[in-house]
Amino acid sequence: MRKMATAAATSASEAEAEPKAGPTAEGEEDDVKTARTRRKVLSRAVATATYKAVGPGWDQPEEGVSESDGDEEYAMASSAESSPGEYEWEYDEEEEKNQLEIERLEEQLSINVYDYNCHVDLIRLLRLEGELTKVRMARQKMSEIFPLTEELWLEWLHDEISMALDGLDREHVYDLFEKAVKDYICPNIWLEYGQYSVGGIGQKGGLEKVRSVFERALSSVGLHMTKGLAIWEAYREFESAIVEAARLEKVHSLFRRQLAIPLYDMEATFAEYEEWSEDPIPESVIQNYNKALQQLERYKPYEEALLQAESPRLAEYQAYIDFEMKIGDPARVQLIFERALVENCLVPDLWIRYTQFLDRQLKVKDLVLSVHNRAVRNCPWTVALWSRYLLAMERHGVDHQVISVTFEKALSAGFIQATDYVEIWQAYLDYLRRRVDFKQDSSKELEELRSAFTRALEYLKQEVEERFNESGDPSCMIMQNWARIEARLCNNMQKARELWDSIMTKGNAKYANMWLEYYNLERAHGDTQHCRKALHRAVQCTSDYPEHVCEVLLTMERTEGTLEDWDIAVQKTETRLARVNEQRVKAAEKEAAFAQQEEEKAEQRKRARAEKKALKKKKKTRGADKRKAEEDDEKEWGDDEEEQPSKRRKVENSTPPAGEAQDLEAETGLFGKSAPVDVDPPSKQKERAAALKRDMPKVPHDSSKDSITVFVSNLPYSLGEPDLKLRPLFEACGEVAEIRPIFSNRGDFRGYCYVEFKEEKSALQALQLDRKTVEGRPMFVSPCVDKSKNPDFKVFRYSTALEKHKLFVSGLPFSCTKEELEEICKAHGTVKDIRLVTNRAGKPKGLAYVEYENESQASQAVLKMDGMTIKENVIKVAISNPPQRKVPEKPEARKAPGGAMVPRQIYGARGKGRTQLSLLPRALQRPSVTVAQAENGPAPQPAVTTSAATEAPKMSNADFAKLLLRK
């Protein structure tokens, strides 16, 4: 068979050489086209002959290719060569079109080598044209830049396997398999690898090679709940087929190892083992099997969620990862991360979380660096992945040259914003600084660090500014770091001053914090004269907080200066502050004038809307039915007893009482047409809506079981089968007796439910699930309390008092994650907890609470972090001191001594609108008498006499309408 394959290959090469001998140019062109056709057919014939030479133990060759197909196509090619017809010309046109497309794709890749789709299309066309050498080079080039999917790898491997003729070719295929299994976790590739290695069992060391491949496959995907079974079975079948003395013990070992792992169809494997084994199964194996079955039941909800969801199933994988992280088995955590990344390889946050787990937990050099490398290959545009990669390489002692090459790759990765380049430069410069021994006056590492700083500044100025129209470093953080290193570590204040002069000339001279940073550097490593000079310049240039700079200057002169220095400082500060106050007064006047103009424009717009609305209402009234009863109602709409027409609100999930049902029937009439009816004014409508709400059918609930029941709300309305979805979550807290989701009369889920447990401690533990994300929304879990019996009951998890060890952070970018914020905060102390504030839909609000171990750490963090820039957002940091939560007033509290209700405020029940203006002259306005409620007890109520109460009776909207109609 090997000779047949070699002969086929020789005939193919001879056939390719034949067209070159034509006598004329036209004849040569025809012969070349004919040879191309024959080359394609012969390449398939080579693959078929190779398959025969390898033997029947392998998978079939490419789908649709068989020996008979090859012979038929070869005959077709021969007949086409002897008598070209219409089919050949059509084929040549298609081939020419493919060649042009191949040239276009190659040119495109020469411009942008990171065009993924262009690589895929080029490989497909080259494979279609039978360009074996070119397609191999194209695949090699793509695999160097991108990780390949399972489909691309299997296609490549099948092509190479079909062309492998000798031992060298087999080694080449082995190398390809080694590359393939490193890109993603692919059980099918491991299975192909094991089967292919079986074919080389006759070679030297073939048996050890097969067992090594299968053992590595088990380590990689043996724990896979749904696909790991195939690897175990293939390994057992291989061992069972070997005729040797020790095979029985090897098969026993594989059965026992497999039965100790939770996998699907474990019962069938156990039955197979019972049937295969001649001896009774040991008790220890049965115990491990039962334990694995119990574990399988715990994993099944997550596996079933993955099976039911659609790709990429990120939320389901995230929940699965959280579950595995809680259990803490490193091998299983690694496996679920790998499974998630197969479908979510372009999600940077998932890679960041995975690499962070490996850096902190496993710390295995080869594994950690391999995952970091895959991360930057999948998401090269994410600077955080590159920064973490550099840190990991430094942490594991990788050679400096390799780290430098990796950094150069990062620069050419094509980041999407200018600040990303600043971040990667800072990470690399920090690495170079840690390599320097500053005890020596001069060293090779120090010179390399200085040249890197110089190159970084030039790169940001030329490359980054040209692309983004900004350097990405407006505060000159790189230059500041360089100046600090020169001053503190190299004792070179002259160079540090030159750098700070350059920083101030780049638009930073107007900021007080920049001058104070320079002053502190001079204070620590310079002299008093330069400190004084810096502060004098700061007083003249600062425009944001000049008072602060002036205060620092006066404090320094009070401590160290002479009388002359003091007089000069006082004169300069007073002159500067007087000028600043004048500028602020002018700016305030200008702003007030602008605000007045805006107010006038708003008033004009409001009047125009009112006129438009009145005109529209008038036209609508004319076009309506002009029956006499309706006209009378319109003319007498100002009477107190009459009711204003308004749109009725449809109250979902409620059944009106019998009396109201009759009203509705009378209103809609016999033919469904609405008749003019009297409708209550808004106040009465609210009362009726409240009555309807009280009359809504209640969900059956036994209040005596409140202690073992929790109330779950804010669930997604689209949550299908809430009982099945929520049960796995709450069963982790204890045995669940019943879950009662609430549905509307139409059968729609209303977003909340009751969860009843068997024991009270389970209900208390379930409260810890509060704010847990369910399908993208935070789930609220609270105690089950009857608010009608306990109207003052309010659940709020967090303290509303001053907490000196906790920080309140605002202004965060919405994309900031908990891990990113923790990375920033832990530099100032031990972080106990971080809470990102979200809305009811689970979307971030840009706020966070950071809890430190003690007050001193929190105070230090406030000083360092307040005003920090995170992803172009300037954050504000302060000690947590939330305002007092407003307690809604009870209706009884708003009653005056005479019994009349006092309005909530003069603006009405819904408060003052944003554009609501007071039309009452200020001279006639009187302060409203409201009943204020003190924080720690009732406030003293003002005495209201009867005469004062009756002196100015309040007028309703109907009274004002009467006044308008009389005019």
Side-chain angles (χ1 to χ4, degrees):
M1 293 299 179
R2 186 67 53 84
K3 292 180 179 179
M4 289 175 58
T6 307
T10 306
S11 64
S13 61
E14 291 175 356
E16 291 182 6
E18 288 177 3
K20 299 181 180 178
T24 61
E26 184 177 357
E28 289 178 0
E29 183 177 354
D30 294 338
D31 291 340
V32 168
K33 293 180 178 178
T34 305
R36 286 177 180 170
T37 305
R38 180 186 299 173
R39 183 181 60 203
K40 292 181 182 179
V41 177
L42 289 178
S43 64
R44 293 188 174 183
V46 170
T48 305
T50 305
Y51 169 69
K52 291 180 179 180
V54 174
W58 298 107
D59 289 343
Q60 294 181 356
E62 289 183 52
E63 185 177 355
V65 178
S66 64
E67 181 181 2
S68 60
D69 293 340
D71 295 339
E72 291 175 3
E73 290 180 8
Y74 187 86
M76 287 177 58
S78 302
S79 62
E81 180 181 5
S82 59
S83 56
E86 182 179 357
Y87 174 78
E88 181 183 356
W89 292 112
E90 291 179 358
Y91 188 83
D92 290 342
E93 291 178 2
E94 183 68 21
E95 185 178 15
E96 185 176 358
K97 181 180 178 181
N98 290 342
Q99 289 295 334
L100 292 175
E101 181 66 12
I102 288 172
E103 294 176 2
R104 187 191 70 80
L105 292 173
E106 290 176 343
E107 182 180 359
Q108 182 68 22
L109 287 176
S110 64
I111 299 173
N112 180 17
V113 73
Y114 290 98
D115 192 334
Y116 184 90
N117 294 328
C118 196
H119 280 283
V120 175
D121 293 340
L122 178 61
I123 291 172
R124 178 181 56 81
L125 288 175
L126 289 175
R127 191 168 184 266
L128 185 64
E129 291 296 307
E131 300 284 352
L132 303 180
T133 303
K134 288 186 176 180
V135 74
R136 180 180 289 173
M137 294 176 59
R139 284 166 167 164
Q140 183 68 28
K141 189 174 182 180
M142 182 180 181
S143 66
E144 293 174 356
I145 302 173
F146 298 105
L148 304 187
T149 62
E150 180 179 358
E151 293 76 13
L152 291 175
W153 271 119
L154 289 175
E155 183 183 80
W156 188 0
L157 290 167
H158 288 161
D159 290 347
E160 294 292 343
I161 290 173
S162 65
M163 293 185 294
L165 300 177
D166 51 24
L168 293 178
D169 292 339
R170 178 170 287 275
E171 291 298 326
H172 172 65
V173 175
Y174 282 154
D175 293 340
L176 278 183
F177 270 114
E178 290 296 330
K179 292 180 180 179
V181 297
K182 291 179 180 178
D183 277 353
Y184 300 109
I185 179 173
C186 300
N188 293 332
I189 293 180
W190 276 112
L191 195 59
E192 289 280 343
Y193 194 4
Q195 292 177 349
Y196 183 71
S197 62
V198 172
I201 194 172
Q203 298 179 349
K204 184 179 179 181
L207 180 59
E208 290 75 10
K209 175 70 175 179
V210 176
R211 285 176 172 167
S212 172
V213 170
F214 273 116
E215 287 293 339
R216 291 171 55 201
L218 292 180
S219 299
S220 178
V221 296
L223 298 177
H224 200 298
M225 297 282 292
T226 56
K227 298 183 179 180
L229 181 63
I231 303 295
W232 287 99
E233 290 181 346
Y235 195 4
R236 284 205 320 272
E237 290 175 4
F238 165 73
E239 291 292 347
S240 300
I242 299 176
V243 181
E244 60 180 27
R247 74 175 181 86
L248 292 178
E249 185 58 33
K250 187 71 175 178
V251 176
H252 273 293
S253 175
L254 286 174
F255 266 119
R256 293 167 184 173
R257 289 167 58 189
Q258 180 180 352
L259 291 174
I261 297 174
L263 297 173
Y264 271 39
D265 296 332
M266 290 186 65
E267 297 83 354
T269 304
F270 185 78
E272 182 182 354
Y273 186 28
E274 284 183 320
E275 181 181 354
W276 181 87
S277 178
E278 298 177 355
D279 301 327
I281 299 178
E283 186 64 27
S284 60
V285 176
I286 297 177
Q287 291 179 358
N288 291 335
Y289 167 69
N290 292 328
K291 184 178 180 181
L293 278 178
Q294 294 176 0
Q295 292 178 347
L296 179 62
E297 292 301 319
R298 297 175 62 188
Y299 286 115
K300 271 187 177 179
Y302 298 96
E303 292 290 344
E304 291 173 358
L306 290 175
L307 293 175
Q308 295 172 4
E310 296 181 358
S311 184
R313 305 180 286 190
L314 180 59
E316 289 75 15
Y317 275 120
Q318 292 280 19
Y320 205 162
I321 290 171
D322 293 338
F323 175 72
E324 291 286 13
M325 295 275 279
K326 188 181 297 184
I327 295 177
D329 186 350
R332 298 199 66 89
V333 173
Q334 181 186 354
L335 175 67
I336 190 59
F337 267 117
E338 292 287 354
R339 290 176 60 184
L341 288 169
V342 171
E343 300 182 33
N344 300 276
C345 59
L346 302 181
V347 180
D349 291 342
L350 192 58
W351 284 106
I352 290 174
R353 190 177 180 187
Y354 186 22
T355 55
Q356 181 175 312
F357 166 75
L358 295 177
D359 288 335
R360 296 179 180 179
Q361 301 294 331
L362 294 186
K363 301 180 181 180
V364 180
K365 177 180 178 180
D366 293 337
L367 175 61
V368 170
L369 295 182
S370 172
V371 173
H372 276 286
N373 182 44
R374 291 164 52 205
V376 297
R377 291 178 66 199
N378 279 276
C379 304
W381 62 86
T382 307
V383 67
L385 293 175
W386 287 101
S387 301
R388 290 171 179 269
Y389 191 14
L390 294 178
L391 288 172
M393 296 175 78
E394 181 186 2
R395 195 176 293 119
H396 291 283
V398 177
D399 185 68
H400 169 62
Q401 189 64 29
V402 177
I403 297 179
S404 299
V405 171
T406 304
F407 168 70
E408 296 297 334
K409 290 181 181 179
L411 286 182
S412 61
F415 298 131
I416 58 178
Q417 54 187 3
T419 54
D420 293 344
Y421 288 94
V422 178
E423 184 176 344
I424 193 63
W425 268 111
Q426 285 182 332
Y428 184 58
L429 292 170
D430 291 344
Y431 157 70
L432 293 178
R433 194 266 306 163
R434 289 189 285 267
R435 295 181 67 241
V436 179
D437 182 8
F438 291 100
K439 296 179 180 179
Q440 302 177 8
D441 293 337
S442 180
S443 63
K444 179 182 177 181
E445 290 80 7
L446 179 58
E447 294 303 321
E448 184 178 1
L449 175 61
R450 285 172 171 163
S451 63
F453 270 114
T454 304
R455 183 190 167 199
L457 297 178
E458 293 176 355
Y459 187 91
L460 294 178
K461 183 178 180 180
Q462 298 175 3
E463 301 290 337
V464 179
E465 282 191 10
E466 181 178 349
R467 179 180 172 187
F468 298 98
N469 295 324
E470 59 167 329
S471 66
D473 190 14
S475 300
C476 302
M477 295 303 301
I478 290 181
M479 294 182 70
Q480 288 190 45
N481 292 336
W482 190 4
R484 294 189 192 100
I485 291 174
E486 293 289 352
R488 297 175 184 176
L489 302 177
C490 300
N491 297 320
N492 189 355
M493 276 303 300
Q494 182 62 32
K495 180 64 176 178
R497 293 183 184 114
E498 293 176 2
L499 291 170
W500 269 105
D501 285 340
S502 179
I503 292 172
M504 292 305 180
T505 58
K506 294 183 181 297
N508 293 300
K510 58 184 178 181
Y511 301 118
N513 64 322
M514 300 295 288
W515 284 108
L516 295 179
E517 186 71 26
Y518 176 35
Y519 165 75
N520 291 331
L521 191 68
E522 285 284 0
R523 192 77 173 167
H525 306 285
D527 52 55
T528 306
Q529 188 63 30
H530 282 91
C531 290
R532 182 176 290 111
K533 183 178 179 181
L535 289 177
H536 282 185
R537 291 175 59 191
V539 168
Q540 298 299 323
C541 301
T542 302
S543 59
D544 55 350
Y545 298 107
E547 295 90 349
H548 193 185
V549 176
C550 293
E551 183 181 354
V552 173
L553 175 59
L554 294 176
T555 301
M556 190 193 77
E557 299 297 359
R558 181 179 285 112
T559 305
E560 303 179 14
T562 63
L563 178 60
E564 182 180 358
D565 295 332
W566 172 261
D567 291 339
I568 294 174
V570 170
Q571 181 181 357
K572 286 190 174 183
T573 55
E574 288 179 350
T575 303
R576 174 59 178 165
L577 293 178
R579 190 184 313 125
V580 168
N581 289 332
E582 291 178 2
Q583 294 173 354
R584 289 176 178 172
V585 169
K586 292 181 180 179
E589 292 176 351
K590 186 177 180 180
E591 184 177 355
F594 178 76
Q596 185 175 1
Q597 293 177 0
E598 290 296 321
E599 188 175 351
E600 292 175 355
K601 291 179 181 178
E603 182 66 24
Q604 293 175 0
R605 288 193 296 268
K606 183 179 178 181
R607 285 198 297 266
R609 283 196 300 268
E611 293 174 357
K612 186 176 179 180
K613 187 175 181 181
L615 182 61
K616 186 177 180 180
K617 186 175 181 181
K618 187 176 181 181
K619 291 181 179 179
K620 186 176 180 181
T621 304
R622 289 178 179 177
D625 191 9
K626 298 182 179 181
R627 284 176 294 187
K628 190 173 184 305
E630 187 172 328
E631 291 176 358
D632 294 338
D633 288 341
E634 290 179 359
K635 291 179 181 178
E636 297 176 3
W637 64 281
D639 294 340
D640 289 337
E641 290 84 11
E642 295 297 323
E643 299 172 349
Q644 300 178 4
S646 62
K647 295 182 179 179
R648 291 185 176 270
R649 296 184 179 177
K650 181 179 180 181
V651 182
E652 291 186 1
N653 310 320
S654 63
T655 304
E660 188 176 352
Q662 295 176 1
D663 294 341
L664 288 175
E665 183 178 353
E667 180 183 0
T668 55
L670 296 177
F671 300 99
K673 296 182 180 180
S674 59
V677 295
D678 296 336
V679 184
D680 291 338
S683 60
K684 293 187 178 181
Q685 287 181 15
K686 291 183 179 179
E687 294 178 3
R688 293 179 62 185
L692 285 176
K693 188 174 181 181
R694 288 193 299 269
D695 295 337
M696 286 175 60
K698 303 290 184 181
V699 177
H701 174 65
D702 187 359
S703 59
S704 63
K705 296 183 179 180
D706 284 348
S707 60
I708 59 173
T709 307
V710 295
F711 180 68
V712 184
S713 59
N714 200 46
L715 295 168
Y717 295 128
S718 60
L719 187 66
E721 298 182 347
D723 187 358
L724 298 178
K725 293 288 181 66
L726 296 176
R727 186 172 291 274
L729 294 177
F730 287 98
E731 282 182 342
C733 305
E735 185 177 358
V736 177
E738 183 184 10
I739 295 180
R740 298 190 297 277
I742 311 304
F743 295 93
S744 67
N745 292 339
R746 295 181 300 178
D748 299 329
F749 181 51
R750 302 192 63 189
Y752 57 92
C753 65
Y754 296 92
V755 180
E756 181 181 328
F757 292 91
K758 293 287 188 180
E759 299 178 353
E760 184 175 352
K761 64 179 183 180
S762 302
L764 296 175
Q765 187 175 353
L767 297 177
Q768 302 300 321
L769 297 176
D770 188 36
R771 312 287 169 150
K772 183 176 181 61
T773 303
V774 175
E775 294 192 0
R777 289 176 66 92
M779 173 180 67
F780 298 163
V781 183
S782 58
C784 188
V785 176
D786 189 355
K787 297 263 183 99
S788 63
K789 299 179 181 178
N790 300 275
D792 295 331
F793 179 79
K794 191 72 175 177
V795 176
F796 190 67
R797 292 180 57 191
Y798 310 105
S799 173
T800 58
L802 174 65
E803 297 176 282
K804 296 184 179 180
H805 66 289
K806 186 180 291 186
L807 304 184
F808 174 67
V809 185
S810 60
L812 289 169
F814 293 153
S815 61
C816 182
T817 63
K818 182 177 179 180
E819 290 76 13
E820 291 174 344
L821 184 58
E822 182 180 5
E823 196 72 23
I824 296 172
C825 297
K826 71 180 183 181
H828 311 297
T830 304
V831 178
K832 294 180 62 178
D833 183 42
I834 292 180
R835 176 168 65 93
L836 295 179
V837 182
T838 61
N839 58 16
R840 295 181 67 88
K843 304 298 182 182
K845 300 174 68 174
L847 308 175
Y849 289 92
V850 182
E851 183 179 354
Y852 279 95
E853 197 169 35
N854 52 52
E855 299 178 8
S856 61
Q857 293 179 357
S859 301
Q860 186 71 15
V862 171
L863 296 175
K864 298 292 184 181
M865 294 174 58
D866 189 30
M868 177 185 291
T869 301
I870 299 179
K871 296 182 181 180
E872 298 184 355
N873 284 35
V874 179
I875 65 172
K876 294 182 179 180
V877 183
I879 298 296
S880 175
N881 187 18
Q884 293 293 327
R885 295 177 62 83
K886 296 180 180 179
V887 180
E889 297 178 4
K890 299 180 182 178
E892 305 84 37
R894 292 189 282 112
K895 287 186 178 181
M901 292 288 291
V902 179
R904 293 184 186 176
Q905 46 180 269
I906 61 174
Y907 308 124
R910 296 182 60 187
K912 184 176 181 179
R914 293 185 179 179
T915 59
Q916 185 174 351
L917 300 176
S918 176
L919 301 180
L920 187 65
R922 294 174 181 168
L924 300 179
Q925 287 183 357
R926 297 180 182 178
S928 61
V929 180
T930 59
V931 180
Q933 185 174 357
E935 263 185 0
N936 299 316
Q941 298 184 0
V944 181
T945 61
T946 306
S947 60
T950 58
E951 182 180 358
K954 294 180 174 58
M955 300 179 67
S956 65
N957 291 338
D959 296 331
F960 280 110
K962 289 180 181 179
L963 293 177
L964 293 174
L965 289 175
R966 292 171 184 171
K967 291 183 179 180

